[in-house]
Amino acid sequence: MQSVATALTRLGDLAATPTVSRLATAFHESGHELALVGGPVRDAFLDRPINDLDFTTSATPDQILQIVKPISDAHWDIGRAFGTIGARIAGEKVEITTYRSDSYDGQTRKPEVVFGHRLEDDLLRRDFTVNALALRLPGLTLVDPANGIDDLLAGVLRTPISPEISFGDDPLRMMRAARFTAQLGFTLDVDTAEAMEAMADRIRNISAERIGDELSKLLCADDPHVGIELLVDSGLCDRVMPEIPALRLEVDEHHHHKDVYQHTLTVLDQAIGYEKSRGSFDGPDLIVRLAALLHDIGKPGTRRLEPGGVVSFYHHDLVGAKLAKKRLRALRFDNDTISAVARLTELHLRFFGYTEGAWTDSAVRRYVRDAGDQLERLHILTRADVTTRNRRKADRLGFAYDDLEQRIKELAEQEEMAAVRPDLDGEQIMAVLGVGPGREVGEAYRYLLEQRLDDGPLGEEEATRRLTSWWAERGR
């Protein structure tokens, strides 16, 4: 946390940049108020990087367009109905929004947009006091009508007005509360936490797209663990992703197993650690984090209490993959993300057979083939899934996966395994067999692929010999 003087100096430096100074001058000369608002002001106090530049103004959307057109490289009005105009000024993207005082009616999923007249009123309609901060431009006057600076100093999330009214106006703010605890490391004040629990069912008024987007932002935060716990403890998760609280399985006095819910949170933490340490991605990887969160959601539906105090979860990987696909579709995630997360969930147990006996080269090739372009993420998820406190067991699994990765690397170098395909393509298969396009060509292709996986590169001559023999054995 920066001192007020240091933060104001940082904001002053920001105001002197070409983008902000041009905007401030243009709005001042037009006779309209302009203020830098929300996240940039908050992050200046928290000594966090300032990325998005958001402004609020007394000008209407039409007036904003008139002001920014002469000074912008480009502009767009996709958010015009909500009072927001976007522009690129001096190479930076900015958003400028007319003062607002709108709210939700508690029934529909869209707000009634009402433009306001005062900066202070606009700030008080925002989600949390730490985001209800503004810097008037060009005069560099800090505006803090809800005592957000005090809450920043205390590390507390609190709504500027009654949480019941704030969450009633926009129920998605309850999910934002979970996201900001994860991003900023803050805690909720008591009244806000109690209102979230009491009003959790209101989240059903929010569209699936907005919920999915907010969940993605939460998972890409610095510490999503605490945010997920808040969603579960408040009851929100029961409404948006019930598979997660369902992991809190009842403990039977005669049957004992790992706490699946806490295990999942640990896997999420460890996956983030591997994601960062391996350096495989530029920034947070949503697919890795979704897969870590969802990889065991098939366990509640597959749990069986076996004789002798044993608990089994047979096929929870396959069941979980189907559940993950269904939930992510319901939340309107894109098809590529859905497919990747489901595939990782389906494959997350595959490695554990590696420690039970030596895999052949063929088995290693199949592991790579089945993972496809998700291999690196599968490496991360599989390693993260080891949460045993038994150090000897953890080391054994870690060494085994080191060995598997080394074998994959060696085979890839020998065979260019990343592009495993049969030694003959479709055209060659048809020429050898004397057939045209059809089902038989697909069957022949799969046969040659299995041969390739079992024995490595065959060469065109040997592949042709095996294909001819296979075709003859079919009685053709």
Side-chain angles (χ1 to χ4, degrees):
M1 177 71 184
Q2 302 269 40
S3 68
V4 173
T6 302
L8 288 176
T9 298
R10 190 179 181 198
L11 287 169
D13 292 340
L14 179 63
T17 61
T19 299
V20 180
S21 61
R22 286 183 194 176
L23 268 176
T25 300
F27 275 82
H28 179 69
E29 291 178 349
S30 70
H32 291 289
E33 297 176 2
L34 182 74
L36 184 68
V37 67
V41 183
R42 177 200 69 214
D43 290 339
F45 282 88
L46 295 177
D47 197 22
R48 290 167 55 93
I50 296 174
N51 298 310
D52 299 328
L53 294 178
D54 295 327
F55 299 85
T56 187
T57 179
S58 58
T60 66
D62 288 342
Q63 292 168 331
I64 295 172
L65 277 172
Q66 290 177 355
I67 294 168
V68 301
K69 279 182 180 180
I71 63 171
S72 63
D73 307 318
H75 59 272
W76 50 93
D77 60 357
I78 191 170
R80 188 171 186 164
F82 296 96
T84 299
I85 301 298
R88 187 172 64 245
I89 299 173
E92 285 193 80
K93 290 183 179 180
V94 301
E95 287 192 348
I96 308 124
T97 302
T98 304
Y99 295 156
R100 280 168 51 176
S101 59
D102 50 75
S103 66
Y104 286 70
D105 60 13
Q107 302 299 319
T108 62
R109 294 180 174 182
K110 294 183 179 179
E112 178 185 358
V113 178
V114 179
F115 296 139
H117 304 284
R118 298 176 66 247
L119 173 59
E120 290 78 6
D121 294 338
D122 178 272
L123 294 176
L124 290 172
R125 60 163 284 279
R126 293 176 181 264
D127 51 10
F128 300 102
T129 60
V130 297
N131 295 327
L133 301 169
L135 185 73
R136 286 189 185 274
L137 300 169
L140 303 184
T141 302
L142 184 65
V143 183
D144 179 18
N147 298 315
I149 299 298
D150 291 342
D151 288 340
L152 279 176
L153 290 169
V156 171
L157 279 181
R158 180 173 56 86
T159 55
I161 56 178
S162 162
E164 289 80 9
I165 295 175
S166 181
F167 294 157
D169 283 348
D170 185 357
L172 191 67
R173 290 171 176 169
M174 295 185 286
M175 289 195 66
R176 287 200 197 111
R179 191 231 303 178
F180 284 124
T181 62
Q183 283 183 337
L184 306 178
F186 286 9
T187 57
L188 288 186
D189 82 314
V190 174
D191 290 343
T192 304
E194 290 178 350
M196 281 181 63
E197 188 172 348
M199 301 177 68
D201 206 50
R202 294 283 191 95
I203 199 66
R204 300 186 193 277
N205 292 341
I206 301 300
S207 68
E209 290 86 351
R210 293 184 71 207
I211 290 173
D213 182 60
E214 195 60 44
L215 184 63
S216 297
K217 291 176 180 177
L218 163 58
L219 283 172
C220 290
D222 292 336
D223 186 14
H225 180 138
V226 296
I228 296 297
E229 284 191 312
L230 181 54
L231 290 182
V232 171
D233 293 344
S234 66
L236 280 167
C237 211
D238 286 304
R239 279 79 173 181
V240 301
M241 191 174 272
E243 295 81 4
I244 303 307
L247 295 174
R248 298 180 295 183
L249 301 176
E250 294 181 8
V251 177
D252 182 277
E253 61 178 322
H254 303 297
H255 296 78
H256 302 283
H257 60 80
K258 186 180 297 182
D259 184 325
V260 183
Y261 173 62
Q262 289 301 325
H263 163 75
T264 295
L265 294 178
T266 301
V267 172
L268 177 60
D269 291 341
Q270 294 187 166
I272 293 171
Y274 283 119
E275 171 196 293
K276 293 177 179 178
S277 65
R278 291 171 70 97
S280 305
F281 306 102
D282 295 328
D285 188 76
L286 179 61
I287 291 173
V288 163
R289 299 177 183 210
L290 278 169
L293 183 65
L294 299 177
H295 77 285
D296 270 350
I297 59 174
K299 279 190 171 180
T302 58
R303 185 174 73 150
R304 299 291 182 270
L305 305 180
E306 310 287 359
V310 176
V311 180
S312 67
F313 302 98
Y314 293 125
H315 305 304
H316 77 268
D317 46 347
L318 302 178
V319 172
K322 293 179 180 178
L323 291 175
K325 189 175 294 186
K326 181 178 180 181
R327 176 54 54 197
L328 295 179
R329 280 177 178 164
L331 291 173
R332 306 294 192 270
F333 280 85
D334 64 271
N335 289 335
D336 288 344
T337 297
I338 294 171
S339 176
V341 173
R343 191 62 169 157
L344 289 167
T345 302
E346 179 183 343
L347 294 176
H348 81 273
L349 291 181
R350 182 75 64 86
F351 158 73
F352 293 97
Y354 190 83
T355 61
E356 297 171 3
W359 277 11
T360 63
D361 286 350
S362 174
V364 175
R365 293 187 190 100
R366 283 182 169 80
Y367 188 78
V368 173
R369 178 197 64 182
D370 292 346
D373 59 2
Q374 301 306 314
L375 182 61
E376 175 61 17
R377 292 186 173 108
L378 184 58
H379 289 334
I380 291 173
L381 178 61
T382 302
R383 288 184 179 276
D385 199 23
V386 178
T387 62
T388 177
R389 295 181 181 178
N390 183 320
R391 176 47 52 191
R392 182 176 296 179
K393 181 179 180 181
D395 287 344
R396 178 171 58 84
L397 291 170
F399 293 146
Y401 208 88
D402 289 342
D403 182 67
L404 175 58
E405 285 205 68
Q406 181 60 32
R407 289 184 64 190
I408 290 172
K409 181 180 178 181
E410 291 172 355
L411 282 171
E413 291 173 351
Q414 295 169 12
E415 307 173 7
E416 298 182 357
M417 193 171 57
V420 172
R421 54 179 58 88
D423 295 82
L424 303 178
D425 61 23
E427 292 291 335
Q428 291 171 307
I429 290 171
M430 287 188 287
V432 169
L433 301 183
V435 299
R439 176 174 55 83
E440 292 90 351
V441 179
E443 292 176 358
Y445 187 94
R446 287 190 291 274
Y447 165 75
L448 287 177
L449 179 59
E450 290 298 317
Q451 296 293 300
R452 169 72 170 77
L453 290 168
D454 284 339
D455 299 327
L458 302 174
E460 184 175 334
E461 182 178 347
E462 175 61 17
T464 299
R465 187 191 67 77
R466 294 192 187 190
L467 176 62
T468 303
S469 176
W470 170 79
W471 186 251
E473 290 175 2
R474 288 167 55 93
R476 298 288 180 176

